[in-house]
Amino acid sequence: MTWLVPLPVVMPLLGAALTLMLVARPRAQRWVSLTVLSATVAVAATLLFLSSVDGPMVVEVGGWVAPLGIVLVADQLAALMLVVSAAVTLCVLVYSIGQGTADGNEETPLSVYHPTYLVLTAGVCNAFLSGDLFNLYVGFEILLVASYVLLTLGSTETRIRAGTTYVVVSLLSSLIFLVAIGLVYAATGTLNLAQLVDRLDALPDDLRLVLQGMLLLAFGIKAAVFPLSAWLPDSYPTAPAPVTAVFAGLLTKVGVYAIIRTETLLFPGGRTADLLLVVAALTMVVGILGAVAQSDVKRLLSFTLISHIGYMLFGVGLSTSLGLSAAIFYVVHHITIQTTLFLAAGLVERRGGSTALDRLGGLARLSPLLAVLFFVPALNLAGIPPFSGFLGKLGLVQAGVDDGGPLAWTLVAGGLLTSLLTLYAIARVWNLAFWRAPHPDMPDAGDTVRAARTDGAEQPDREPSPEASSGAVLPRLMIGSTAALVVLGLALTVVAGPLFDISTDAADDLLRRTPYVEAVFPGGAP
């Protein structure tokens, strides 16, 4: 069944080519995209089951034997990331289709949206499956090039300005990553991850530290860890709502995944563990303080996104099985919940006419369903029992207590403080946007919310009709896809036990390293 491994990359790329040929048939584009992503979810779930039963699955692309050729490796970590990312991208696609249809652009869609979205999906999947550093770089570049296009949809001045910042920062991180790849190859003669395990261990400690630091710097920018995160709050909130949601859910997590993979496989027990813990603490606290200071829902959520990256680094920095498994569990939780909240923020903007807290109010009365769709994932993000956010944080706290070191205890305190401040931030949003009396400028049930805000993922070339953009009636597909992610977030709580088992198995395999190496080189690495 190893032939399944490349499909999460190949299918979206073929789908992108097909949707590009169907630019004059927007409905056909939508059906192709939905079919491709649905099939990707099914393949990813199959890979997760097979990797859990049989161990890592390896494909040598083009028949070139490793380490000469490119290898794709689907172990439990990669397969788990594929499942959650494919499910999230499918739900966001449905949301964007609903938004585009409601805005009256069925006949005049922005034709590059679907091909670009599928290319982004292929890049994310390729990054998760990559078995060598250069192919990981290729995966990053594929998703980043696609993200440049998606970020600037509508070509407004604000989006072009934010997109320029995003491009510059992304190119800088890519350049650092490329330099690191060159240094690794110069020092070891290979870029294959399984082969690098032994060759990096044989290098002098100082040289290993330099290589590790370069990779961490590149991945830290992509993951938006403090102090490398200043670009994110100014970039993500300006994009169309579906694009912001998929960026928030996935792009930073690809950087976190790369940190987990390289720190456990290539640099186990390295001297940067304490540095990771310090950065994790600063990311959590500074990020959430930034969120508390915001008066716009999207910017507030962007800062909570940065803050909660710190929880994941906390588990990685501990370098223990419990810490790493809790970090993996928290990545899955955060991808789902953060995406859901940004989709809900898009619904808030559509219903209330703005995401500025001083221009909102009364949404709980005007749209009770929207209130529920925001309230449930917001509580989950804050870590209220018994949701998955609480369970993930509990695992990290337990891992920190078991470690017993001063930095670990500092992270435990920082994590608890961050959780309380997250609760305060989302309670403030609830009070101002949902609970208090409606703002005078908000549209009433019969008013029209004109889309001078071009939030649709597929933008029309004409002004949408009042019926299409009415703030009183939220499109069913947008509501349904958001509700599906809310249910998925609740399902993570229900299946937390099995999910933690998968995370623990993945963490144990990462720490042992031998399952990965033996899967790529059954006779031992050359």
Side-chain angles (χ1 to χ4, degrees), residues 74-321:
D75 61 356
Q76 289 191 79
L77 174 62
L80 182 59
M81 294 298 102
L82 285 176
V83 170
V84 67
S85 63
V88 163
T89 52
L90 176 59
C91 289
V92 174
L93 177 66
V94 174
Y95 182 100
S96 66
I97 290 173
Q99 185 161 314
T101 302
D103 286 341
N105 61 342
E106 289 183 271
E107 303 303 325
T108 56
L110 187 64
S111 57
V112 299
Y113 174 74
H114 288 278
T116 308
Y117 191 84
L118 291 174
V119 168
L120 177 77
T121 303
V124 170
C125 293
N126 186 63
F128 289 146
L129 292 169
S130 293
D132 67 84
L133 282 178
F134 188 76
N135 194 39
L136 178 61
Y137 171 81
V138 171
F140 271 118
E141 291 308 295
I142 292 173
L143 68 91
L144 288 175
V145 168
S147 68
Y148 301 154
V149 178
L150 294 174
L151 188 64
T152 54
L153 288 177
S155 301
T156 64
E157 180 181 353
T158 302
R159 289 178 184 171
I160 295 297
R161 186 186 306 113
T164 301
T165 302
Y166 180 77
V167 168
V168 171
V169 172
S170 298
L171 289 177
L172 176 61
S173 66
S174 296
L175 178 60
I176 295 172
F177 188 15
L178 193 59
V179 171
I181 288 174
L183 293 176
V184 169
Y185 188 79
T188 63
T190 185
L191 295 176
N192 183 280
L193 293 177
Q195 194 175 27
L196 282 171
V197 170
D198 290 332
R199 297 199 178 184
L200 284 173
D201 287 347
L203 295 178
D205 289 344
D206 290 343
L207 180 55
R208 289 181 74 247
L209 183 61
V210 171
L211 298 178
Q212 185 180 10
M214 290 284 290
L215 290 173
L216 275 178
L217 180 60
F219 299 147
I221 296 174
K222 297 180 184 299
V225 302
F226 182 82
L228 309 172
S229 56
W231 58 272
L232 190 148
D234 292 327
S235 299
Y236 283 13
T238 63
V243 175
T244 302
V246 79
F247 280 18
L250 290 180
L251 298 197
T252 53
K253 308 311 181 301
V254 178
V256 173
Y257 168 85
I259 292 175
I260 292 174
R261 180 69 73 186
T262 54
E263 286 297 298
T264 55
L265 187 63
L266 304 184
F267 305 102
R271 288 184 283 175
T272 60
D274 288 348
L275 175 63
L276 278 175
L277 292 178
V278 172
V279 170
L282 292 174
T283 302
M284 283 192 290
V285 175
V286 175
I288 200 59
L289 290 177
V292 169
Q294 299 308 307
S295 59
D296 182 271
V297 177
K298 286 185 178 180
R299 284 187 62 84
L300 185 149
L301 291 176
S302 296
F303 276 97
T304 63
L305 167 61
I306 295 170
S307 175
H308 287 243
I309 295 295
Y311 285 105
M312 304 165 206
L313 294 182
F314 179 13
V316 178
L318 290 176
S319 301
T320 62
S321 178

Side-chain angles (χ1 to χ4, degrees), residues 265-393:
L265 187 63
L266 304 184
F267 305 102
R271 288 184 283 175
T272 60
D274 288 348
L275 175 63
L276 278 175
L277 292 178
V278 172
V279 170
L282 292 174
T283 302
M284 283 192 290
V285 175
V286 175
I288 200 59
L289 290 177
V292 169
Q294 299 308 307
S295 59
D296 182 271
V297 177
K298 286 185 178 180
R299 284 187 62 84
L300 185 149
L301 291 176
S302 296
F303 276 97
T304 63
L305 167 61
I306 295 170
S307 175
H308 287 243
I309 295 295
Y311 285 105
M312 304 165 206
L313 294 182
F314 179 13
V316 178
L318 290 176
S319 301
T320 62
S321 178
L322 178 57
L324 194 56
S325 63
I328 294 171
F329 181 92
Y330 203 83
V331 170
V332 174
H333 148 81
H334 198 255
I335 288 174
T336 306
I337 299 306
Q338 198 75 50
T339 304
T340 309
L341 284 171
F342 271 101
L343 291 185
L347 294 174
V348 167
E349 184 168 20
R350 190 176 192 88
R351 181 61 187 89
S354 175
T355 55
L357 292 176
D358 59 356
R359 297 176 61 86
L360 293 171
L363 289 175
R365 179 178 61 84
L366 296 174
S367 183
L369 180 57
L370 173 57
V372 172
L373 294 180
F374 179 86
F375 186 71
V376 174
L379 289 182
N380 203 337
L381 182 71
I384 300 300
F387 295 119
S388 57
F390 169 76
L391 298 175
K393 292 172 183 176

Side-chain angles (χ1 to χ4, degrees), residues 454-473:
T454 52
D455 282 345
E458 301 172 308
Q459 296 301 327
D461 295 329
R462 62 181 183 274
E463 187 79 7
S465 66
E467 293 79 14
S469 56
S470 173
V473 180

